[in-house]
Amino acid sequence: EWANSLHVVTKENIIRQEILFKAGDVFDSELLEESERNLRALAYFGAAKITVTNEDDQFVDISVVTQDQWSTLLSSIFQQGGGRTIFGGAVEEFNLLGLGKQIFSEVRYERGEGTQATFRYTDPLVLGSRWTTAQTAISGPFVRSYAGRIIRPFFALDTKWAGGLTFVTRNDILRLFDRNIETNRTGLESDGFQIFGARAFGPRFHKTRVRLSYRFLNRNFSSIEGLTTIELPEDELIHGTAVGLTLENISFVEQRRLDKFLRTEDLTL
């Protein structure tokens, strides 16, 4: 009970943002069902139900009921092998202050080498829009990395377009071991990004989607004085354009007692 008192209930405006219709719209039972599926897909809801409570010749009253569930996860880390011992912990909150934002933080310590920290922030509805973003930073003795994305997905069956950008900049120290003994360290610097746009055509449950993307990745290897014992691999420059086409006939079925226990989950057929 004391743990539940620490939980902040999801704000009403966050729930409304996931609903695909608004007051005054023409009633569409398929949008009601899809909105219910969207709510059920959110990990911080244990249940979600949208029902018609009153209907006459001109108006329909709709009830939206959600049930929050515990949204904070704690975990511990312990790994031993290959002459290495690693331990640490992590905390994840996927409904920060009831706003639907997610944060993840992890700290792991390798004996004799140092501490690595990871932090990730995810916002599925940036400024109340349909754009999503995620930012991840990692800092430790063998890696320094920053990666991010800003994407507008196909958030509904009627969504006509999607697009976005992902990027990463990363510095690694690659380690080789032989019979539990470290034999080599090589530096690797990577920078890259990918940009894409997509368009959907066709009726609600029979979609043709076209996707155009461009990818760029630059990888440079370097020696570390006194620690690099092998020949360096060749540097890499990878870039190219890709076009994708998918044909989808979409239907759903509700199931319970899957990987989320008693939750009702929606499977795409």
Side-chain angles (χ1 to χ4, degrees), residues 61-179:
D61 293 331
I62 295 175
S63 170
V64 180
V65 178
T66 61
Q67 179 183 359
D68 276 36
Q69 64 179 1
W70 188 248
S71 57
T72 304
L73 299 177
L74 302 174
S75 60
S76 60
I77 300 168
F78 181 78
Q79 301 173 356
Q80 192 170 39
R84 306 166 61 195
T85 300
I86 300 172
F87 57 88
V91 58
E92 181 173 12
E93 169 59 52
F94 44 90
N95 190 14
L96 182 65
L97 300 177
L99 298 173
K101 322 300 184 187
Q102 303 171 27
I103 58 172
F104 171 84
S105 182
E106 178 190 271
V107 176
R108 56 174 63 206
Y109 173 77
E110 181 175 347
R111 185 171 297 170
E113 298 295 349
T115 301
Q116 175 178 302
T118 301
F119 180 80
R120 181 173 65 248
Y121 172 76
T122 304
D123 186 346
L125 297 167
V126 178
L127 299 176
S129 72
R130 289 296 180 174
W131 287 87
T132 70
T133 188
Q135 315 293 322
T136 303
I138 306 174
S139 179
F142 303 110
V143 59
R144 290 187 180 276
S145 171
Y146 182 74
R149 70 173 186 261
I150 178 74
I151 292 174
R152 185 184 191 269
F154 288 113
F155 58 87
L157 294 177
D158 289 341
T159 303
K160 299 298 184 184
W161 67 274
L165 168 72
T166 64
F167 63 89
V168 62
T169 178
R170 184 180 178 103
N171 290 295
D172 290 278
I173 296 177
L174 307 179
R175 308 162 72 189
L176 293 179
F177 292 83
D178 183 16
R179 299 176 184 177

Side-chain angles (χ1 to χ4, degrees), residues 35-49 65-71 73 94 253-267:
S35 298
E36 188 176 278
R37 289 193 295 269
N38 287 353
L39 291 172
R40 278 200 294 264
L42 299 175
Y44 46 84
F45 286 140
K49 194 68 176 176
V65 178
T66 61
Q67 179 183 359
D68 276 36
Q69 64 179 1
W70 188 248
S71 57
L73 299 177
F94 44 90
V253 62
E254 295 181 11
Q255 293 290 339
R256 289 169 62 87
R257 297 183 181 276
L258 297 177
D259 58 330
K260 296 178 181 175
F261 304 101
L262 296 178
R263 288 189 60 187
T264 298
E265 298 184 63
D266 300 285
L267 304 181

